[in-house]
Amino acid sequence: GGAPSGSAGAAAVAGSPSCQDFSRYAPGAFVEVRTVAGAEVNGNRCAAYQFGDDRAFFPALPGRISGLRPRSSSPEGELVVYFTAPSTVSGGPTFRVRASTLSGGLYDGDLLLIAEPISAQHTLRDLLLVEIAVTAAALVLALAIGWWMVRLGLAPLRRVEATAEAISEGDLGHRVPGDKARTEVGQVARALNVMLGTIEQAFAERDATEAELRASEERLRRFVGDASHELRTPIAAVSAYSQLFERGEGHEEDLPRVVRGIKLETARMAQLVEDLLLLARLDEHRPLRSEPVELVDLAAGAIETARTVGPEWPLRLEAREALEVLGDRLQLRQVLENLLANVRAHTPPGTAATVTVRAAGGEAIVEVADEGPGMTAEQAGRVFERFFRVDPSRARETGGAGLGLSIVNAIAAAHGGRAVVRATPGAGASFEIRLPLAPEDQPAPEQVPAPAGAG
C-alpha cells in the first residue's frame, strides 16, 4: 500500500463534503477533517473498508498531529505528514495515514486525514494461498506427466515381461519387440533375443538328439528282438535233430538226415550271425578299406558266380565304359551278390535279370533289374528294413532272414552312396546302387584292414 493521495480528498472538501463524495475519490479509505487541535469538523469522518469485507474500520489516530512540513510535490502552502496507525479494533488492518492542511474556504487551516488500510498481511496470506495452490497444481501436473512418462518408458519392459511369460509357458519362438531402438531397453531387448535364439537352438538340438536316441533305442530293441526271433528257429531245429540223434539206436537210417539237418541249420545260424556282425560294424561307422574298385569287372565276377549258383535265372551285363570308385572291394562284391540272390529268392526260375553299370551326375550307378512279379509301393518302402520279407514263406524255404537288402543299403551308405528301389507290381523290380566316382588321377588312400566277417 502506497501513501494515500490528498488531491481527491481536497477536491471533495472544496465542494459539498460527504462520505459518498469521498468514496468516489478514495474508495475504501478512512477520511476525516479535523482541526489542528484534534476536534472533528462538521462530522466529516468516514470509515474504511477492506476489499471483500463489509466491516467498518477506523485508525487509532493521535489526538494531535505533529510533524507537518511542506513537500515539493504538494500545492503551494500545503503542509503534509505521513505516518502509520493501528486499527481501533483487535484484528483490524494497519493504516497508512496522510495528514495535510487545507487552505481557503470553510476549512481553512484544518487538517484532512486520509487513511488507507495496509492489507499486506492479507496480501501475504493470499499470496501464500496462491503459491500453495500453484505449487500443488504444479506437483499434480508433474506427477501426472511423470507417471505418463514412466508408463511410456516402461512399456518395452512390459513387453519383455509378456515375452518372458510366454517363454515360461514353453513358447521359445517368442522374441522381445523393440530390439532395433537405440536405447538401453533396446540393448536389453537385443541381448535377450540373442539369448533366446541360443536357448531355442540348444533345445532344438537337445530335442533332435533325444529323438535320435529314442529312434536308435527303438531300432536296437527291434533289431535284438528280430535277431532273437530269427535265431530261435534254427536253434530249435538243431535241438530237435540232436534229440533224434540221441535216440538214433534202432533208427540208423535217419542218422544221415539228422546230420544233414544239423549242418544246414548250423550254416544258417552262422550266416545270420555273420550278417548281424556286419550290420553292427557298419552301424558303428568303422573305417573301411579304401581302394580303387572297377565296377564292370566286379559286376562280371558277381554274375559269373550267380550263374554257377542259380543257372535257371538268365543274367545279362550291360556297360559302355569302365567306372572306378573308392571303397572296399569285398563289401561291394557282397552288395552285387545280395542283389542277385534277391532275384533268385523272389522270382521264379527262368526270370531274366540285367546288371547295368553306367555313370550319371558324377555318380557310378550299378542297377540290377529283373522281369519278375515286382513289388507294391508299400513293400518297396520297407524293402531295406532289417528282417523285412516280401514273401515270408519263400524266405523261410531259402533260408533268408530278411537282412540281405539291409546289408546292401548299409554298405552303400558306408561308401558315401545310397540304395534306391523302383518297383511296379507285375513289371519287375529294379535296385540301383549309387556311389561317388573316384577322382581322376587320385592316388589310392592308405588302406585300412577290412572288418572281420565282411564279404
Side-chain angles (χ1 to χ4, degrees):
S5 174
S7 58
V13 173
S16 54
S18 69
C19 289
Q20 292 181 352
D21 294 333
F22 286 121
S23 65
R24 289 198 302 269
Y25 295 99
F30 166 82
V31 179
E32 182 182 19
V33 177
R34 64 161 62 177
T35 62
V36 176
E40 181 181 328
V41 179
N42 296 331
N44 289 320
R45 191 169 187 267
C46 302
Y49 295 91
Q50 291 192 111
F51 179 76
D53 195 342
D54 295 334
R55 292 179 299 170
F57 295 97
F58 295 92
L61 299 173
R64 187 178 183 85
I65 305 299
S66 60
L68 293 167
R69 60 178 58 87
R71 296 293 178 92
S72 59
S73 59
S74 301
E76 184 176 355
E78 184 181 31
L79 300 178
V80 180
V81 65
Y82 291 92
F83 59 93
T84 301
S87 176
T88 57
V89 296
S90 177
T94 302
F95 290 87
R96 183 65 174 168
V97 183
R98 180 183 187 276
S100 61
T101 59
L102 296 173
S103 60
L106 179 64
Y107 302 100
D108 184 31
D110 294 332
L111 295 178
L112 173 65
L113 285 79
I114 301 176
E116 291 186 356
I118 301 175
S119 56
Q121 295 178 351
H122 298 282
T123 302
L124 290 175
R125 183 190 64 188
D126 295 341
L127 179 61
L128 179 61
L129 293 177
V130 170
E131 289 180 349
I132 292 175
V134 171
T135 302
L139 286 175
V140 171
L141 181 61
L143 289 174
I145 295 176
W147 176 82
W148 178 76
M149 293 183 66
V150 169
R151 293 274 297 179
L152 185 64
L154 293 179
L157 295 181
R158 288 196 297 271
R159 292 195 290 268
V160 171
E161 180 184 3
T163 302
E165 291 178 355
I167 293 171
S168 66
E169 295 175 359
D171 186 0
L172 296 178
H174 264 66
R175 292 294 181 270
V176 180
D179 57 349
K180 304 298 182 183
R182 297 182 178 180
T183 60
E184 288 78 1
V185 176
Q187 295 176 0
V188 173
R190 283 195 295 274
L192 287 176
N193 286 342
V194 171
M195 180 188 69
L196 291 175
T198 304
I199 292 175
E200 184 179 15
Q201 181 180 359
F203 271 93
E205 292 176 355
R206 187 203 65 177
D207 293 342
T209 302
E210 291 180 352
E212 184 178 353
L213 288 175
R214 287 194 296 269
S216 177
E217 291 175 358
E218 179 63 26
R219 288 195 301 268
L220 180 60
R221 285 194 294 268
R222 187 170 62 250
F223 182 79
V224 172
D226 292 340
S228 301
H229 178 74
E230 292 298 327
L231 287 171
R232 187 180 298 116
T233 300
I235 290 174
V238 170
S239 177
Y241 283 128
S242 299
Q243 293 176 9
L244 287 175
F245 186 80
E246 290 177 353
R247 297 197 303 267
E249 185 177 358
H251 301 278
E252 288 77 4
E253 67 278 4
D254 292 332
L255 291 180
R257 181 173 63 86
V258 171
V259 173
R260 185 169 60 254
I262 291 176
K263 290 176 61 178
L264 179 62
E265 296 299 333
T266 303
R268 181 179 174 183
M269 282 192 295
Q271 184 60 47
L272 178 59
V273 170
E274 289 294 331
D275 290 344
L276 292 174
L277 287 174
L278 176 58
L279 287 171
R281 293 188 181 96
L282 292 173
D283 288 343
E284 293 175 359
H285 304 290
R286 292 187 181 182
L288 304 174
R289 177 184 291 121
S290 183
E291 60 183 353
V293 179
E294 204 286 300
L295 294 180
V296 176
D297 178 65
L298 189 74
I303 290 174
E304 185 65 28
T305 301
R307 284 172 178 165
T308 302
V309 176
E312 298 88 354
W313 286 268
L315 299 175
R316 185 174 70 255
L317 175 62
E318 293 183 358
R320 295 184 178 180
E321 58 180 339
L323 298 176
E324 276 193 355
V325 297
L326 294 178
D328 189 314
R329 184 180 184 86
L330 294 179
Q331 290 194 2
L332 293 176
R333 172 65 179 267
Q334 184 174 358
V335 167
L336 288 171
E337 289 179 348
N338 285 5
L339 291 177
L340 294 174
N342 186 69
V343 173
R344 295 193 300 272
H346 299 287
T347 62
T351 302
T354 303
V355 179
T356 305
V357 180
R358 68 181 188 278
E363 291 181 323
I365 301 174
V366 179
E367 179 184 12
V368 177
D370 62 59
E371 300 175 2
M375 294 179 289
T376 64
E378 181 182 359
Q379 292 171 339
R382 300 185 57 194
V383 74
F384 293 117
E385 293 182 7
R386 297 175 183 182
F387 300 106
F388 174 75
R389 299 186 184 89
V390 174
D391 186 353
S393 61
R394 175 173 291 274
R396 287 294 185 192
E397 292 172 3
T398 56
L403 293 176
L405 294 179
S406 299
I407 292 174
V408 168
N409 186 49
I411 292 177
H415 284 77
R418 63 190 187 280
V420 181
V421 59
R422 289 195 300 273
T424 305
S430 173
F431 291 88
E432 287 185 0
I433 306 301
R434 294 175 172 263
L435 302 172
L437 285 169
E440 296 181 1
D441 302 327
Q442 175 73 22
E446 181 180 355
Q447 296 183 358
V448 180

